[in-house]
Amino acid sequence: MSEELRKLVEETVTNMKKMDKESLLIMKSNSEVLKARDCLDKENCEKEAG
């Protein structure tokens, strides 16, 4: 993990520690959507390269 990415993760976690349960549930669902999108992007890139 790059230093820039590590710092971004640390800042995000610090902000999340200040959230209530409802906000954390929203963040969790949003992160799952973004993870799926990243997976699709990677699959599309692999297909274009292959």
Side-chain angles (χ1 to χ4, degrees):
M1 182 182 307
S2 71
E3 183 65 26
E4 182 180 352
L5 183 57
R6 187 186 64 75
K7 184 177 178 183
L8 184 59
V9 169
E10 285 179 3
E11 290 173 359
T12 303
V13 170
T14 299
N15 290 336
M16 290 173 69
K17 287 179 180 179
K18 299 173 186 174
M19 294 180 182
D20 63 10
K21 183 178 179 178
E22 217 172 282
S23 294
L24 287 171
L25 290 171
I26 292 168
M27 286 289 298
K28 183 177 185 281
S29 64
N30 287 339
S31 70
E32 290 170 355
V33 169
L34 292 169
K35 181 180 172 185
R37 187 200 63 155
D38 286 348
C39 183
L40 288 174
D41 286 347
K42 287 179 186 177
E43 288 177 7
N44 288 336
C45 288
E46 289 174 1
K47 287 179 183 176
E48 289 175 7

